[in-house]
Amino acid sequence: MAKTFQELMADLRKELTEIEPEQLAKMRSGPPEISLIDVREMDEFRQGSIPGAIHIPRGFLELKIEDRIPDRNTPVVLFCAGGTRSLLAAESLRRLGYGQVSSLIGGFRRWKDEGRDCETPAVLGDWERQRYARHLAIPEVGEEGQKRLLEAKVLLIGAGGLGSPAAFYLGAAGVGTIGICDFDVVDESNLQRQILHTTDRVGTDKTESAKTTLLALNPRLKVETFNERLSSKNVARIFEPFDVIVDGSDNFPTRYLVNDASVLLGMPNVHGSVYRFEGQVTVFWPGKGPCYRCLYPEPPPADMAPSCAEAGVLGILPGVIGLLEAVETIKIILGIGDILIGRLLAYDALKATFHELKLRKNPECAYCRSGIEFPGFIDYEQFCAVPSATAS
Amino acid sequence: MSQIRIPTPLRKFTGGMDEVPGSGNTLRAVLENLESQHAGIRKQICDSNGELRRFVNVFINEEDARYLAGLDSEIKEGDVISIIPAIAGGTKNRPGE
Ligand SMILES: [Zn+2]
C-alpha cells in the first residue's frame, strides 16, 4: 500500500541519521573533514548560508554530487530551510552509495535562530550568471571563483603583442578591473599581432584603443588607463591598487622596474617574453619564489644585447605566450592549480615543443633576499635610439 | 655526447642551427669545444675572466648550472644544455628601446 507523505518521513527518520545543530558545530571543526551541502534553492541560498557550505539545489543533487564529492565515504551533512528537503535528499544520496550521510534537524532556520555562524555567500547577479555560465559549471571556479575574478584587479604592462591576447581573455573571463599601462600609439605594423587594436585606430593611443575593444567585449569591465612611460617616479603609484601584474613589455628598463616594484609591493609578476619563434613564460612572486633579478641581476650592456636590426616575431607567437600569461593570472586569482613559480616554460613554435627549466631563488639577490632594505628603483638607460614604446 | 640548445640570438654563430652536439665532461670543456666549432659564441656566454655572464643562464637539463658546480658542472652522455640569455621580450626586439 502506498505511503502517505507523513509515513514516508517517519520511515526516513528511522532509517537515516539526523543531527542537532550543536553536533554539526562540533563536526565542522573536524577531523574528519565533512562536506556540508545546502540543498535549498538559489534565492534562499543567496540570503544567507552556513560558511563553507556547498550549494547544490536538491533538484540537481544526484546530477552533481559525484562531481563535487567523488569519495562516497566522505561524511556529508545536508541541510535545507527546516529539515524536510534535506532528509529526502539524504535518502537519495544513500541510494547512490554515500555511506555517511546525515541531515540537519531544524535546517538553516534553527541554525540561524541559535545565533550560529552565518554568512551571505558571494553570489552573482542574473547578468553575470548568464554571462559566465561556463565558468559556473566548473567546480574549481563556480560562483565563488567568478566573484573573485570580478573583484580582481590586474595591471597589464603594455597593450601590445603579449598584452593584447592577455587583456582580451582576462576581460572575457570577467576580471573586473583591468589596468593598461602603455604610452605608445597604434602603428599599422602592430596589427600583425596586437589584436586589441584595429586599422581605423592607427595613430590613436593604445590605451584608449584597448579600452574601446575591451568595453565592446564586456561592457561591465572597469578599464583603467595609464598613458605614461613607466619610470622610477610613477611605478609604485601605478602598481599599488592592483593585485597581479602581467608583464608584456619589450625593453629592459621596464622589465627591471616591473620586477623591482613587484618585489617592493609583494605582488605576483606574470612574465612573458618572445623572440622570433620562441617564447618564455614564468611567474615571479616575491616571497614564494625567485624574482627576475635572481635570474638576471643586471640588464646586459648594449653591445651584448641582441641588436636592433634583428627585429621580428611570428605574429601569433605573442598570442600563445600572452595567453599562457593570462592562464597563470586566472589561476593566481582563483588560487587553483600549480602556478609557474620557480619554473620557466619555454615554447619553441617551429619544433612545437615546450620544455621546462627550474628557476632558483638567488640567496644573494640584491632585491629579494630576506632582511634587506629595498635598494630603490633604477631607471636604466634605453639603448636603442628609435621612437620608443612600452609594449611588445 | 651532449646536446646544446642554441637560443635564437646566438644562432648567427652556429650557421642558424638551433641545436649542436656538445663534447666534454664539464660545462667548461663543452663551451670550449663549442667555441672551437663556432668561433665567437663563447664570448657571448662567458666574460673575459671565463666566468658565466650574469645576463646569461646555462641549464644542464632542468637545473641552472650556477646552482650545480658552475663551469665545473659535470656533463654526462645525453645531457641537454640550454643557454638562456636575458631577452627583453619585445616583438620589436629592440633590447633597450
Ligand atoms: Zn631576487
Side-chain angles (χ1 to χ4, degrees), chain A residues 197-216:
Chain A
H197 312 300
T198 55
T199 306
D200 63 329
R201 290 188 216 135
V202 167
T204 64
D205 289 343
K206 281 191 181 174
T207 46
E208 281 311 308
S209 169
K211 186 174 180 174
T212 304
T213 301
L214 291 172
L215 291 179

Side-chain angles (χ1 to χ4, degrees), chain A residues 108-241:
Chain A
F108 181 66
R109 210 177 302 125
R110 195 173 134 198
W111 175 271
K112 196 178 168 190
D113 287 348
E114 290 182 8
R116 298 181 188 276
D117 212 6
C118 297
E119 68 174 12
T120 309
V123 289
L124 306 172
D126 292 338
W127 188 88
E128 283 83 5
R129 197 164 300 115
Q130 189 160 351
R131 179 115 189 166
Y132 305 114
R134 296 298 184 276
H135 271 167
L136 304 189
I138 314 172
E140 289 79 359
V141 184
E143 291 229 356
E144 190 70 38
Q146 190 60 50
K147 191 87 177 175
R148 275 195 205 186
L149 291 171
L150 291 165
E151 284 165 2
K153 296 178 176 148
V154 175
L155 176 65
L156 293 134
I157 306 303
L162 295 165
S164 280
F168 238 126
Y169 269 94
L170 292 173
V175 169
T177 304
I178 295 182
I180 298 169
C181 180
D182 200 312
F183 70 100
D184 204 0
V185 294
V186 180
D187 183 85
E188 199 164 4
S189 70
N190 298 153
L191 301 176
Q192 163 250 26
R193 62 194 181 280
Q194 301 184 12
I195 57 172
L196 280 177
H197 312 300
T198 55
T199 306
D200 63 329
R201 290 188 216 135
V202 167
T204 64
D205 289 343
K206 281 191 181 174
T207 46
E208 281 311 308
S209 169
K211 186 174 180 174
T212 304
T213 301
L214 291 172
L215 291 179
L217 171 67
N218 192 342
R220 297 212 177 171
L221 297 179
K222 194 171 162 206
V223 180
E224 292 179 10
T225 56
F226 302 90
N227 198 6
E228 47 197 310
R229 178 203 284 269
L230 218 53
S231 76
S232 59
K233 309 261 180 318
N234 62 14
V235 63
R237 163 179 61 82
I238 293 174
F239 279 31
E240 216 275 323

Side-chain angles (χ1 to χ4, degrees), chain B residues 74-90:
Chain B
E74 190 192 350
I75 304 295
K76 294 186 296 294
E77 181 72 27
D79 277 353
V80 178
I81 298 162
S82 306
I83 301 163
I84 311 283
I87 301 269

Side-chain angles (χ1 to χ4, degrees), chain A residues 162 184 190 193-194 249-253 255 273-276 278 280 292 294-298 300-301 304-308 310-313 318 344 351 355-363 382-384 386-389 391-392, chain B residues 3 5-13 17-19 40-47 53-68 80-97:
Chain A
L162 295 165
D184 204 0
N190 298 153
R193 62 194 181 280
Q194 301 184 12
S249 65
D250 68 348
N251 63 80
F252 285 116
R255 292 274 185 210
S273 70
V274 289
Y275 195 104
R276 294 195 179 178
E278 289 181 294
Q280 301 171 353
Y292 188 60
C294 290
L295 265 70
Y296 303 114
E298 300 278 335
M304 295 304 294
S307 87
C308 307
E310 289 169 35
V313 70
L344 181 81
K351 288 204 163 74
H355 68 271
E356 208 180 290
L357 300 167
K358 283 185 198 150
L359 305 183
R360 307 218 175 256
K361 212 170 142 68
N362 178 357
Q382 316 245 11
F383 36 69
C384 234
V386 287
S388 37
S392 54
Chain B
Q3 187 192 354
R5 286 202 181 116
I6 307 295
T8 312
L10 300 188
R11 286 180 198 160
K12 56 178 174 270
F13 296 97
M17 279 188 288
D18 56 9
E19 268 177 26
I41 195 167
R42 191 165 178 271
K43 201 176 95 165
Q44 304 290 320
I45 304 165
C46 299
D47 62 21
R53 291 188 181 277
R54 277 320 273 136
F55 52 86
V56 178
N57 289 320
V58 178
F59 292 80
I60 301 169
N61 302 319
E62 297 88 50
E63 292 289 347
D64 188 336
R66 249 179 266 279
Y67 298 98
L68 298 169
V80 178
I81 298 162
S82 306
I83 301 163
I84 311 283
I87 301 269
T91 48
K92 301 187 199 82
N93 287 324
R94 297 175 194 138
E97 189 195 79

Side-chain angles (χ1 to χ4, degrees), chain A residues 290-291 293-294 365 367-369:
Chain A
C291 79
R293 284 189 192 268
C294 290
C365 179
Y367 275 73
C368 80
R369 72 173 194 267

